């Protein structure tokens, strides 16, 4: 059979166009499978990791009226409540200089930025908001091309106030401007009191000892009843599983579409493998007859041509695996950047590598047969 293998190598080398077509047809399918598998591994792991690190609140309740520190403290004594933190969201208009139009802005006020409990913000540069400076969300700085140490003007109650941006933060829960969200800025309670006239809270973040959907619903009802008794109505509420990022459904839809395209690409590649092997057999019918005339069995001829298919597959893997790893990281990095999720360093996805090798070596063989 050594002579036969030399023959296959000669056929592969002499018919470079046919070889390139077969290799690329397999490589495209293997590349697509690796891309989808890698993203299914890379995206959820980064999203879940960063979300857990922020210590997400299990319950977020937006109130119909403001509450003070005493009311917030009373919630910690309710059954099923392990911890409570207050926050306040306000609206304003902003612009970077007198020549730009006014835009809508979200103003976030947290109790103590240096001792955050839940839905923690990450300070990327500069300092936390204080009496003299505010902070801006990183996507706000990049989307509106604001300098990290610049100034903005806020329009509050028809009065203009100029503020220094003292820091840049990452907030996983904001709606990024890339998706149509508003600019987001952060203030201290002292500054909010001076501008808006209140130090109270408009939302409550709650964690339970152990999260479950049933426990969250029960705790939410207990908190609502308590708020109703003291005359504070509960408005919009959010129950959040700490082990599942709130944008996971969006990412699942994207990867599902990519998975369908990957299957179609792989199927197209296998059809091209079938056509390539058919062309080889049609051209070499006489050669096959000569081999059988000198004693070659059907099994030997079969192994000979299947070896050629495996050779195509190995060449395809050599192309598809590194390109798939690079494309997975680049596309995942782009999507995570849009979702405001920090990205870990480059790595090769083990599930994607395993699936690529399996598909690249095993799928072409039935097509060849």
């Amino acid at each position: 059979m050594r002579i036969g293998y030399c023959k296959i190598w000669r056929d592969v080398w002499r018919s470079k166009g046919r070889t390139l077509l077969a290799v690329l047809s397999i490589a495209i399918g293997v590349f697509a499978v690796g891309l989808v598998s890698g993203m299914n591994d890379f995206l959820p792991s980064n999203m879940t990791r960063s979300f857990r690190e922020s210590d997400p609140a299990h319950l977020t309740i937006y109130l119909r009226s403001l509450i003070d520190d005493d009311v917030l403290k009373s919630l910690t004594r309710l059954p099923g409540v392990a911890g409570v933190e207050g926050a306040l969201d306000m609206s304003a208009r902003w612009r970077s200089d007198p020549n730009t139009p006014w835009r809508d802005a979200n103003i976030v006020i947290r109790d103590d930025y240096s001792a955050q409990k839940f839905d923690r913000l990450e300070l990327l540069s500069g300092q936390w908001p204080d009496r003299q400076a505010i902070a801006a969300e990183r996507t706000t700085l990049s989307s509106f091309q604001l300098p990290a140490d610049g100034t903005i003007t806020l329009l509050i109650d028809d009065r203009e106030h100029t503020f220094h941006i003292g820091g840049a933060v990452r907030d996983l829960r904001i709606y990024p401007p890339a998706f149509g969200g508003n600019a987001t800025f952060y203030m201290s309670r002292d500054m909010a009191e001076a501008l808006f006239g209140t130090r109270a809270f408009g939302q409550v973040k709650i964690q339970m000892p152990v999260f479950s959907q049933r426990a969250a619903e029960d705790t939410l009802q207990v908190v609502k009843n308590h708020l109703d008794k003291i005359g504070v109505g509960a408005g919009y509420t959010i129950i959040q599983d700490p082990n599942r990022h709130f944008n996971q459904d969006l990412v699942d839809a994207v990867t599902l579409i990519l998975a369908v395209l990957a299957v179609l690409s792989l199927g197209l590649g296998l059809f091209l493998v079938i056509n390539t092997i058919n062309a080889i057999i049609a051209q070499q019918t006489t050669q096959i007859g000569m081999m059988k005339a000198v004693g070659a069995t059907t099994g030997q001829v079969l192994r000979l041509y299947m070896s050629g298919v495996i050779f195509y597959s190995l060449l395809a893997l050599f192309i598809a695996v590194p390109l798939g790893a690079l494309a997975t990281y680049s596309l995942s990095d782009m999507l995570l950047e849009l979702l405001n999720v920090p990205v870990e360093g480059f790595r090769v996805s083990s599930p994607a590598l395993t699936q690529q090798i399996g598909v690249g070596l095993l799928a072409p063989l039935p097509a060849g047969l």
Side-chain angles (χ1 to χ4, degrees):
M1 292 296 291
R2 291 182 180 178
I3 298 177
Y5 292 138
C6 291
K7 170 193 174 311
I8 292 297
W9 168 251
R10 186 173 61 251
D11 290 341
V12 168
W13 181 252
R14 287 182 175 180
S15 302
K16 295 183 180 64
R18 185 174 61 198
T19 299
L20 182 63
L21 177 63
V23 170
L24 290 180
S25 62
I26 299 173
I28 290 173
V30 174
F31 168 83
V33 169
L35 176 64
V36 174
S37 178
M39 291 183 64
N40 278 329
D41 175 35
F42 202 78
L43 291 176
S45 64
N46 278 271
M47 294 170 67
T48 302
R49 172 188 54 79
S50 62
F51 191 51
R52 286 175 177 172
E53 289 175 354
S54 72
D55 204 2
H58 300 157
L59 301 173
T60 302
I61 304 174
Y62 292 85
L63 307 174
R64 292 196 175 96
S65 56
L66 302 180
I67 60 174
D68 57 21
D69 294 85
D70 292 335
V71 174
L72 187 69
K73 187 176 181 180
S74 69
L75 299 179
T76 61
R77 297 189 289 268
L78 297 177
V81 176
V84 175
E85 185 177 13
L88 179 64
D89 288 347
M90 302 296 286
S91 298
R93 303 277 285 172
W94 78 281
R95 64 184 179 184
S96 56
D97 60 72
N99 298 322
T100 58
W102 291 103
R103 301 183 178 95
D104 293 329
N106 299 326
I107 311 298
V108 178
I109 300 99
R110 302 290 291 266
D111 183 19
D112 186 352
Y113 289 94
S114 61
Q116 301 172 64
K117 296 179 181 178
F118 315 128
D119 295 335
R120 292 198 298 265
L121 310 175
E122 178 186 1
L123 182 63
L124 301 178
S125 64
Q127 62 183 29
W128 291 114
D130 55 22
R131 292 175 177 269
Q132 287 77 35
I134 64 175
E137 215 286 322
R138 57 173 294 275
T139 57
T140 295
L141 295 175
S142 59
S143 297
F144 298 103
Q145 298 180 349
L146 296 175
D149 196 33
T151 60
I152 63 164
T153 301
L154 291 178
L155 183 64
I156 302 174
D157 294 333
D158 296 326
R159 296 183 62 184
E160 296 185 14
H161 306 269
T162 301
F163 298 95
H164 171 67
I165 301 176
V169 304
R170 184 193 303 272
D171 187 351
L172 296 181
R173 287 199 166 269
I174 61 102
Y175 195 53
F179 290 106
N182 295 328
T184 304
F185 302 100
Y186 302 85
M187 284 185 182
S188 65
R189 290 184 74 185
D190 292 335
M191 183 178 289
E193 183 177 22
L195 293 174
F196 299 103
T198 180
R199 294 178 60 87
F201 301 112
Q203 61 176 277
V204 178
K205 300 177 182 293
I206 299 173
Q207 271 195 355
M208 303 176 300
V210 179
F211 177 85
S212 70
Q213 185 67 27
R214 179 63 181 273
E217 293 173 355
D218 293 341
T219 303
L220 179 60
Q221 190 59 49
V222 170
V223 174
K224 281 185 174 181
N225 293 338
H226 178 77
L227 292 174
D228 288 338
K229 288 180 182 179
I230 61 177
V232 180
Y236 182 64
T237 60
I238 299 175
I239 297 178
Q240 179 63 56
D241 184 347
N243 296 313
R244 182 176 176 81
H245 195 281
F246 50 88
N247 280 325
Q248 187 61 52
D249 291 338
L250 173 64
V251 173
D252 289 344
V254 173
T255 53
L256 177 61
I257 295 173
L258 291 176
V260 173
L261 294 176
V263 172
L264 293 176
S265 299
L266 181 61
L268 177 61
L270 295 181
F271 275 116
L272 291 174
V273 171
I274 292 174
N275 291 334
T276 301
I277 299 301
N278 280 338
I280 294 174
I281 298 299
Q283 291 177 355
Q284 299 186 1
T285 303
T286 303
Q287 296 182 26
I288 294 173
M290 291 294 294
M291 285 187 286
K292 302 198 75 172
V294 296
T297 64
T298 300
Q300 289 175 323
V301 174
L302 180 62
R303 289 196 300 272
L304 191 64
Y305 284 95
M306 287 302 98
S307 298
V309 174
I310 293 176
F311 185 77
Y312 292 147
S313 299
L314 292 175
L315 290 177
L317 287 174
F318 183 77
I319 296 173
V321 169
L323 289 180
L326 292 174
T328 296
Y329 180 78
S330 299
L331 187 56
S332 298
D333 180 48
M334 182 185 70
L335 290 176
L336 292 173
E337 179 74 15
L338 291 175
L339 296 173
N340 202 24
V341 175
V343 185
E344 62 182 352
F346 175 81
R347 65 178 175 87
V348 177
S349 170
S350 297
L353 181 61
T354 302
Q355 292 182 27
Q356 282 182 301
I357 294 175
V359 169
L361 292 178
L362 298 180
L365 291 179
L369 288 173

